[in-house]
Amino acid sequence: MNLDNELQKLKKDKTAKWFTGGKYRFSMKLVLGVDNRKKTFVKNFILYSILLSTLYLIFFLLIAFFSMPKFHLMMQQTRPAEISFFDKHNKPLLAINYLFGDGVLYKDTPEYFWKGLIAIEDRKFFEHNGIYFRGIIRAVLFNLTSKGRFQGGSTISQQLAKNLFLTRKQTITRKVQELMLTIWIERTFSKEQILNLYLSRVSLVKGLYGFHAASKDLFQKPLTDISISDSAILISMLKAPTRYNPSINEKIAMQRRDLILKIMLDRNIITNEEFNTAKNTKYVKPIKDSSVRYFTDWVKDELEFLVPQMYRGQDLYVYTTIDQELQKRATIKNREIIKNAIANGKEATQSAILMTDEYGGIQIMIGGVDYASSQFNRTILAKRQPGSLFKPVVYATAFEYGWTPDSLLIDEPISIDGWEPENYNNKYKGEITLQRAFESSINTIPIRLGIIVSIQEIYKTVGKLKLGPLNTHNLSIVLGTSETTIFDLSESFSIFNNDEGTTGKFYGVRFIENGDREVIYQKKDESGHKVFSTTTLENMRSLFAGVISSPYGTAYKARNGPFWGGKTGTSQGYRDAWFLGFGDDFNIIVWVGNDNNSSMKKVTGSSIPLDIATAVAEDR
């Protein structure tokens, strides 16, 4: 193009406006022509940018969609098999791997609870389609204008999507997935179903899911029975579960509870009177008795032998023999007596209790003073010297060879190859009956019996009673120097407290159901074998009865108590103290000592162990 010719044409154009610009002067029309080309470029740039952004958004949404959990697996929570234990009265005892609370329908809960929950978390829950944009915008504006305070805009459906399927990572991808899942949830489930799912999946207490599980943990009551104050506490914890947990931060939790109560009042969910009552209600932290864990830990190990291979890894419902209330009361009494013993300088820091019914069903198993401090189950695992509590083995062996409770022996000092065992008080009675010697727990008489009937015969009796294996292979065994467990000792001697005089096995499980509530194990009546003659059994029962009823008996102070017979035991150096008691329909054994095997301050079987056994048995 000839620029000079173009300029000449423009000069004749009276409407043209001129600019001075160096060698040439340019017309506005020429400038406008260039500007149009720029507009075309910008327009194309915008169109291509929109197209690319749209493609990128589609690509991003596809990635977000395909990285979500598979829909057909979403409702299947991956978790370990749940084992639920029940006591002898079929009441819930404990659940292991109890991650999810029982399914509770929202309409079965108090109206003030679920209405309060919706009022706080999602006022338009029954009106919106899962995503409440006005609420989201309001929350964003609040968060931008307020200092240090935060307001959430997620609906209950969005929270369910997050809790049920997604991680808590704060990323754009996760937020987009949350919105997708929210739409899917709203289209798949009814509002009632969504609310029921939400109640069972939200996590309020560490390690547990669902309001029902939280209610059982915090208030020791089901969600269906919670009060207005309880409801406000649970609702308040949604904001920050740990911070507003009343068992952790009671003061802060109560302040938050009161705020929730005020909102419930303002929205006519509760009355003024109910508000004042709830606000003045104090939170009582439940006393959690963990001592039952000694028992459930043992039963859990036993399941390996009781549950068929095909059912392992499934949910199990285990119905046990334990008396839950009796166990709790026994735990309290045990702790009180040991605490007093420590205060009185007895230097006895541990104890263990095992009580069974007449059939061998375990009613109480307390493996230590405090499970929280020590999970070591002394009834099962601790090997201790039984001391004089071993003597029934010696006397029963002698009775099998024709000796009787009226047979006479001489109680006097004895020396065997340099071993000179003494009586407890270093006093000797001279000629004495076996009955009196047993009642008074004299040491020299069972030693003489051991020599007469032979140590080999005593070992045979140990084998018949299934008390072994023993780690002592000399005459000192008759004084209980060979270690055994509390469980084995009690189980073996229970033969003296059943009508048939036959061996039996202690057990803790009555029956087991699988997840479909089908019985997969049932305790069967097992007839044991008879170890002793009827005469021997009668003689032994006479000895045990005399320990309680005779003025010479080491447990005479319990003569008006719940036992018809029993036996005390004390090991060398006061390291172990025992009491074995027989009632008309129960057996009980109590051990007291120290885990480090140190000596106590003259604690014998007739002192602390007898006191514990009496207190527990009288409370049956």
Side-chain angles (χ1 to χ4, degrees):
M1 180 180 71
N2 191 318
L3 186 60
D4 289 331
N5 291 335
E6 291 296 320
L7 288 173
Q8 291 300 322
K9 291 178 181 179
L10 289 171
K11 285 180 183 179
K12 296 177 182 179
D13 187 350
K14 296 181 180 180
T15 63
K17 295 183 179 179
W18 292 83
F19 295 90
T20 302
K23 183 177 179 180
Y24 299 106
R25 291 177 294 178
F26 294 91
S27 149
M28 186 63 171
K29 287 187 177 181
L30 183 62
V31 174
L32 290 174
V34 175
D35 190 51
N36 285 333
R37 287 195 296 273
K38 285 184 178 180
K39 284 184 178 181
T40 301
F41 172 78
V42 171
K43 186 177 181 180
N44 290 337
F45 176 80
I46 293 173
L47 289 174
Y48 282 121
S49 296
I50 292 172
L51 178 61
L52 289 174
S53 298
T54 302
L55 290 173
Y56 176 80
L57 178 61
I58 294 172
F59 181 70
F60 174 78
L61 291 175
L62 287 172
I63 291 176
F65 177 80
F66 285 109
S67 64
M68 287 194 303
K70 301 299 181 183
F71 281 107
H72 69 282
L73 297 176
M74 283 182 176
M75 299 306 293
Q76 299 177 13
Q77 289 288 339
T78 301
R79 60 175 177 81
E82 200 171 281
I83 305 175
S84 300
F85 296 93
F86 300 84
D87 68 6
K88 64 177 294 185
H89 302 296
N90 299 335
K91 293 181 179 179
L93 183 65
L94 181 76
I96 296 177
N97 296 330
Y98 183 71
L99 302 180
F100 299 96
D102 297 335
V104 176
L105 302 179
Y106 83 93
K107 286 189 175 179
D108 292 335
T109 67
E111 189 174 277
Y112 47 73
F113 165 69
W114 64 265
K115 283 189 174 181
L117 175 66
I118 291 174
I120 301 299
E121 290 298 306
D122 190 355
R123 291 170 58 187
K124 302 292 184 178
F125 173 70
F126 286 106
E127 300 173 20
H128 61 63
N129 293 318
I131 303 171
Y132 185 48
F133 292 102
R134 185 181 297 178
I136 294 174
I137 294 171
R138 183 175 61 246
V140 170
L141 293 175
F142 178 86
N143 296 335
L144 290 174
T145 56
S146 62
K147 296 181 179 179
R149 292 188 296 168
F150 176 80
Q151 185 180 90
S154 297
T155 64
I156 284 178
S157 299
Q158 287 177 268
Q159 293 180 50
L160 178 61
K162 177 174 60 180
N163 292 330
L164 197 57
F165 308 125
L166 303 172
T167 67
R168 292 189 174 274
K169 289 183 179 180
Q170 296 295 322
T171 62
I172 295 177
T173 301
R174 192 203 64 77
K175 194 65 179 176
V176 171
Q177 290 176 333
E178 178 187 306
L179 295 177
M180 289 180 174
L181 286 169
T182 299
I183 294 171
W184 175 78
I185 287 172
E186 285 281 340
R187 290 187 175 183
T188 305
F189 302 107
S190 67
K191 286 291 185 179
E192 289 76 12
Q193 290 174 321
I194 291 172
L195 190 54
N196 291 335
L197 277 171
Y198 181 74
L199 292 183
S200 66
R201 289 298 191 268
V202 68
S203 178
L204 296 178
V205 179
K206 186 177 181 181
L208 301 177
Y209 290 86
F211 281 92
H212 181 72
S215 177
K216 292 294 290 284
D217 185 83
L218 294 172
F219 313 121
Q220 300 288 287
K221 64 177 77 167
L223 188 63
T224 53
D225 294 343
I226 58 175
S227 66
I228 293 175
S229 175
D230 299 336
S231 300
I233 290 173
L234 290 175
I235 295 169
S236 70
M237 288 175 65
L238 287 166
K239 184 177 181 66
T242 301
R243 176 176 173 80
Y244 296 119
N245 187 323
S247 65
I248 299 174
N249 300 309
E250 183 177 352
K251 183 177 180 180
I252 296 175
M254 292 301 98
Q255 291 173 347
R256 174 72 180 168
R257 178 205 65 178
D258 293 346
L259 176 62
I260 300 298
L261 288 173
K262 184 64 169 62
I263 296 174
M264 293 170 70
L265 174 65
D266 293 341
R267 295 180 184 172
N268 299 318
I269 297 172
I270 58 176
T271 64
N272 271 306
E273 183 179 354
E274 290 173 330
F275 170 78
N276 292 326
T277 300
K279 190 174 181 180
N280 291 324
T281 301
K282 293 183 178 180
Y283 173 70
V284 179
K285 188 174 182 179
I287 299 174
K288 297 179 181 179
D289 174 31
S290 59
S291 71
V292 74
R293 291 295 303 275
Y294 287 119
F295 174 74
T296 55
D297 287 352
W298 171 70
V299 170
K300 184 172 179 287
D301 291 338
E302 290 292 298
L303 294 181
E304 181 180 350
F305 307 102
L306 304 179
V307 177
Q309 183 69 38
M310 62 184 295
Y311 297 110
R312 294 179 188 179
Q314 299 183 18
D315 289 350
L316 298 174
Y317 298 90
V318 183
Y319 292 83
T320 73
T321 59
I322 206 78
D323 189 321
Q324 186 171 184
E325 294 304 317
L326 188 58
Q327 170 95 6
K328 289 179 180 179
R329 297 196 298 271
T331 298
I332 295 172
K333 292 178 184 298
N334 181 50
R335 288 175 181 169
E336 289 175 350
I337 293 174
I338 293 297
K339 183 179 179 180
N340 290 335
I342 294 172
N344 292 327
K346 294 298 184 180
E347 297 184 11
T349 59
Q350 277 297 347
S351 60
I353 307 171
L354 186 66
M355 176 184 277
T356 67
D357 60 26
E358 67 268 40
Y359 305 109
I362 296 172
Q363 295 183 323
I364 296 174
M365 178 183 279
I366 299 175
V369 174
D370 182 23
Y371 180 88
S373 300
S374 172
Q375 292 79 52
F376 182 68
N377 190 342
R378 293 157 188 82
T379 62
I380 303 294
L381 302 173
K383 290 203 166 187
R384 310 293 302 203
Q385 290 186 359
S388 296
L389 196 53
F390 185 83
K391 291 175 183 177
V393 177
V394 181
Y395 282 85
T397 304
F399 291 153
E400 286 290 279
Y401 277 85
W403 292 71
T404 70
D406 294 326
S407 298
L408 297 170
L409 280 176
I410 304 298
D411 174 28
E412 62 183 4
I414 189 171
S415 179
I416 304 170
D417 297 330
W419 180 46
E420 299 180 349
E422 299 175 343
N423 288 335
Y424 167 67
N425 55 9
N426 205 24
K427 293 181 180 180
Y428 301 90
K429 308 294 184 182
E431 190 175 60
I432 189 172
T433 64
L434 297 192
Q435 177 79 36
R436 172 82 178 276
F438 188 89
E439 293 169 353
S440 302
S441 198
I442 290 173
N443 288 336
T444 63
I445 300 304
I447 293 173
R448 295 185 187 281
L449 284 174
I451 295 172
I452 295 169
V453 301
S454 83
I455 194 69
Q456 288 75 20
E457 292 302 317
I458 292 175
Y459 282 131
K460 288 181 182 179
T461 302
V462 168
K464 291 176 182 177
L465 290 171
K466 298 182 179 180
L467 189 54
L470 302 179
N471 55 9
T472 300
H473 301 283
N474 54 52
L475 196 57
S476 69
I477 190 177
V478 302
L479 298 184
T481 58
S482 187
E483 295 176 342
T484 186
T485 66
I486 299 166
F487 189 96
D488 288 347
L489 201 60
S490 183
E491 185 178 61
S492 295
F493 287 171
S494 66
I495 193 174
F496 301 115
N497 195 27
N498 69 61
D499 295 334
E500 295 79 17
T502 54
T503 58
K505 282 184 66 68
F506 286 176
Y507 65 98
V509 177
R510 294 178 289 129
F511 63 94
I512 302 172
E513 295 177 339
N514 63 10
D516 295 325
R517 293 293 187 172
E518 299 169 335
V519 176
I520 59 174
Y521 168 82
Q522 180 79 51
K523 171 70 172 67
K524 297 179 181 178
D525 292 332
E526 300 176 4
S527 56
H529 62 279
K530 200 164 184 176
V531 175
F532 302 116
S533 67
T534 302
T535 300
T536 295
L537 288 172
E538 291 175 353
N539 289 339
M540 288 304 300
R541 288 166 183 158
S542 173
L543 299 190
F544 285 120
V547 171
I548 302 292
S549 61
S550 170
Y552 303 107
T554 54
Y556 182 63
K557 71 178 184 180
R559 61 191 177 279
N560 296 321
F563 314 110
W564 66 257
K567 182 70 182 80
T568 60
T570 308
S571 68
Q572 303 177 77
Y574 300 101
R575 290 181 173 84
D576 305 275
W578 305 74
F579 177 75
L580 171 72
F582 296 135
D584 291 334
D585 59 355
F586 71 90
N587 308 305
I588 186 171
I589 189 168
V590 176
W591 167 86
V592 174
N594 297 308
D595 286 338
N596 61 7
N597 208 33
S598 61
S599 297
M600 298 176 284
K601 294 293 184 181
K602 293 188 176 182
V603 175
T604 66
S606 60
S607 59
I608 299 174
L610 179 57
D611 293 342
I612 293 174
T614 302
V616 171
E618 284 182 337
D619 197 30
R620 295 178 74 249

